[in-house]
């Protein structure tokens, strides 16, 4: 079932910035995908192509990447006459067609869009749901539903409050099903929203791009006390735990960490060493139901990552650390830096590379969190991806805003479809296979 038509266009992502949508037509009909976008390029990510024309979308347009699909990728790929089930061959062909190490010629956003729509068509060709098609490609035999990371509070660079770390998250690890996990997350979220409305103001209930509330708390400890109390008040002690996304690269200055980095007059004498910051995390794990710390250190502070990982059984989760870059994922495995790694489709550029990273991590006993991205679309691909790989954890923001909720809802549908075969990762979210 070769590709008949491949057509791209510029659309808007959930933050109002341009991204790419692709239509693919095969003998089975039309398949469509809109891909995540971001205006924040990390050092090791594949390069998303932007127009750079200040007269249109402040330079953020993607018409050049769209043109690369319509005039280069589409005709060359159609000429190859490859079956849509040949995911690896198609992805490798596009990587070779681009010819750069970081996909900067054609654009990772262009290549990724085609890669993902091929997977959708490939599942249809095989007559199986997308998640089953992904399971086959990833070599997964037992489907496990993930523990969601629901963003509740935001701090760090996302807010002007006193919270040094970027996100404070609820993980319903004690739920018995994904449906119960969603209920726990949603009930805590609504409880928090009502508390904020009563204690602060309705304006404080407006949410960030990640769906979290940026309330005027003054310290990291305040946020942990607030969420611990919310779990208790909602009756979910033992069923819900707290995860912290420290986003510590934002705090990193002159070889140390400034927890007052939002204060232009912060005192360098009070910056924390890696060892001292590690003690903050370890103390949090003892005092509060904190089970996971994401991006605990700057992404090249490898020794700090390895040292903290060796000191705790809790989840030390690298996201900025590895950036879905196979070389950096390999380094994390080699250095035992963290015990869990994020996978993001738009950082790698093809589905094949995401699956390669997944296999490397699984073979070495690492946990995996499939993450969305600021500037996502309402496309549901990553819901099928996390289930198909049985990754064990999914992070799509708070239970608010359509681009987040749609993905959680898709996993609910998959759980219903699986019926008695459905298994929820629960407490075993890191090593479920």
């Amino acid at each position: 079932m070769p590709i008949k038509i491949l057509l791209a266009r510029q659309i808007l992502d959930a933050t109002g910035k341009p991204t790419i949508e692709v239509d693919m037509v095969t003998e089975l009909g039309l398949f469509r995908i809109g891909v995540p976008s971001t205006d924040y390029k990390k050092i090791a990510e594949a390069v998303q192509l932007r127009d750079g024309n200040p007269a249109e979308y402040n330079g953020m347009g993607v018409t050049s990447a769209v043109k690369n699909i319509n005039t280069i990728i589409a005709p060359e790929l159609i000429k190859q006459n490859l079956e849509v089930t040949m995911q690896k061959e198609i992805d490798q062909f596009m990587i070779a067609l681009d010819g750069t190490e970081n996909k900067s010629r054609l654009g990772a956003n262009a290549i990724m869009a085609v890669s993902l729509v091929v997977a959708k068509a490939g599942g249809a060709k095989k007559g199986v749901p997308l998640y089953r098609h992904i399971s086959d490609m990833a070599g997964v035999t037992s489907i496990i539903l993930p523990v969601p990371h629901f963003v509740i509070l935001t701090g760090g660079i996302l807010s002007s409050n006193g919270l040094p770390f970027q996100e404070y998250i609820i993980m319903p690890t004690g739920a018995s099903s994904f449906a119960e996990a969603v209920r726990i997350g949603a009930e805590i979220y609504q409880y928090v929203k009502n508390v904020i409305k009563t204690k602060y103001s309705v304006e404080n209930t407006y949410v960030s791009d990640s769906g979290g509330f940026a309330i005027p708390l003054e310290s990291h400890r305040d946020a942990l006390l607030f969420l611990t109390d919310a779990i208790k008040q909602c009756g979910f002690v033992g069923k819900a735990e707290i995860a912290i996304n420290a986003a510590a690269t934002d705090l990193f200055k002159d070889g140390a960490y400034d927890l007052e980095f939002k204060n232009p007059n912060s005192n360098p004498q009070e910056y924390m060493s890696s060892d001292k910051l590690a003690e903050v995390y370890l103390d949090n794990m003892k005092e509060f139901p904190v089970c996971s710390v994401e991006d605990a250190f700057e992404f090249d502070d490898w020794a700090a990552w390895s040292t903290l990982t060796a000191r705790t059984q809790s989840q030390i989760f690298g996201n900025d650390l590895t950036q879905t870059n196979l070389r950096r994922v390999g380094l994390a495995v080699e250095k035992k830096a963290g015990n869990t790694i994020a996978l993001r489709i738009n950082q790698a550029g093809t589905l094949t590379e995401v699956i390669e990273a997944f296999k490397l991590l699984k073979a070495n006993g690492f946990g995996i969190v499939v993450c969305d991205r600021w500037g996502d679309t309402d496309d549901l691909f990553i819901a099928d991806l996390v289930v198909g790989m049985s990754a064990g954890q999914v992070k799509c923001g708070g239970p608010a805003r359509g681009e987040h909720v749609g993905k959680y809802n898709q996993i609910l549908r998959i759980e219903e479809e699986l019926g008695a075969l459905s298994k929820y990762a629960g407490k075993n979210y890191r090593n479920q296979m």
Side-chain angles (χ1 to χ4, degrees), residues 119-185:
K120 281 191 174 183
K125 168 69 174 175
K126 285 162 61 177
V128 299
L130 177 56
Y131 67 89
R132 290 285 185 193
H133 179 42
I134 290 169
S135 287
D136 291 346
M137 290 189 281
V140 171
T141 54
S142 179
I143 296 288
I144 307 289
L145 295 166
V147 172
H149 290 225
F150 292 118
V151 177
I152 309 294
L153 304 178
T154 52
I157 62 168
L158 302 184
S159 78
S160 57
N161 62 19
L163 302 183
F165 300 144
Q166 195 169 102
E167 294 169 333
Y168 294 81
I169 293 157
I170 290 292
M171 290 176 61
T173 55
S176 58
S177 65
F178 186 79
E180 187 186 16
V182 168
R183 180 176 70 82
I184 289 169

Side-chain angles (χ1 to χ4, degrees), residues 91-386:
D91 286 348
Q92 287 175 337
F93 174 77
M94 289 192 290
I95 289 168
L97 190 63
D98 174 83
T100 68
E101 189 179 336
N102 58 7
K103 304 178 180 68
S104 56
R105 186 174 87 86
L106 298 176
N109 42 352
I111 292 168
M112 172 181 57
V114 177
S115 179
L116 300 190
V117 81
V118 164
K120 281 191 174 183
K125 168 69 174 175
K126 285 162 61 177
V128 299
L130 177 56
Y131 67 89
R132 290 285 185 193
H133 179 42
I134 290 169
S135 287
D136 291 346
M137 290 189 281
V140 171
T141 54
S142 179
I143 296 288
I144 307 289
L145 295 166
V147 172
H149 290 225
F150 292 118
V151 177
I152 309 294
L153 304 178
T154 52
I157 62 168
L158 302 184
S159 78
S160 57
N161 62 19
L163 302 183
F165 300 144
Q166 195 169 102
E167 294 169 333
Y168 294 81
I169 293 157
I170 290 292
M171 290 176 61
T173 55
S176 58
S177 65
F178 186 79
E180 187 186 16
V182 168
R183 180 176 70 82
I184 289 169
E187 286 186 11
I188 291 173
Y189 189 84
Q190 292 302 327
Y191 170 81
V192 166
K193 186 174 183 178
N194 288 330
V195 168
I196 293 169
K197 198 182 294 183
T198 303
K199 190 172 180 180
Y200 300 104
S201 69
V202 70
E203 286 83 2
N204 287 113
T205 65
Y206 302 161
V207 299
S208 68
D209 287 346
S210 63
F213 302 109
I215 58 177
L217 296 173
E218 287 310 310
S219 73
H220 171 57
R221 183 178 172 78
D222 286 346
L224 295 180
L225 286 165
F226 185 95
L227 277 192
T228 301
D229 184 63
I231 291 169
K232 183 179 176 183
Q233 295 302 323
C234 292
F236 295 128
V237 173
K239 288 202 165 190
E241 295 179 89
I242 297 170
I244 300 163
N245 175 11
T249 296
D250 296 333
L251 319 175
F252 195 63
K253 292 180 184 176
D254 304 320
Y257 295 89
D258 177 15
L259 269 64
E260 297 287 326
F261 77 100
K262 287 187 272 191
N263 175 4
N265 302 312
S266 64
N267 182 2
Q269 301 299 317
E270 294 178 1
Y271 294 1
M272 288 189 179
S273 65
S274 300
D275 289 343
K276 195 168 179 186
L277 185 56
E279 293 300 331
V280 171
Y281 301 136
L282 293 168
D283 288 346
N284 289 165
M285 292 166 190
K286 287 175 192 164
E287 186 179 356
F288 300 100
V290 171
C291 65
S292 174
V293 180
E294 177 182 352
D295 287 333
F297 304 103
E298 195 262 349
F299 60 78
D300 275 336
D301 196 356
W302 290 100
W305 279 92
S306 302
T307 302
L308 178 59
T309 304
R311 292 184 64 192
T312 180
Q313 293 300 305
S314 295
Q315 177 160 279
I316 306 302
F317 162 23
N319 189 338
D320 288 350
L321 176 71
T322 45
Q323 302 166 38
T324 322
N325 175 289
L326 272 171
R327 184 185 63 80
R328 290 188 71 91
V329 169
L331 270 176
V333 168
E334 177 191 323
K335 295 175 182 290
K336 294 184 171 59
N339 50 35
T340 297
I341 297 295
L343 294 179
R344 279 173 157 162
I345 48 177
N346 76 331
Q347 290 182 319
T350 66
L351 179 58
T352 297
E353 289 163 288
V354 172
I355 290 172
E356 283 177 20
F358 162 80
K359 288 178 175 177
L360 176 61
L361 290 165
K362 274 294 160 196
N364 287 279
F366 273 64
I368 293 163
V369 186
V370 172
C371 298
D372 69 351
R373 195 74 188 268
W374 297 344
D376 210 334
T377 70
D378 55 4
D379 193 90
L380 308 178
F381 190 95
I382 71 167
D384 283 82
L385 179 67
V386 68

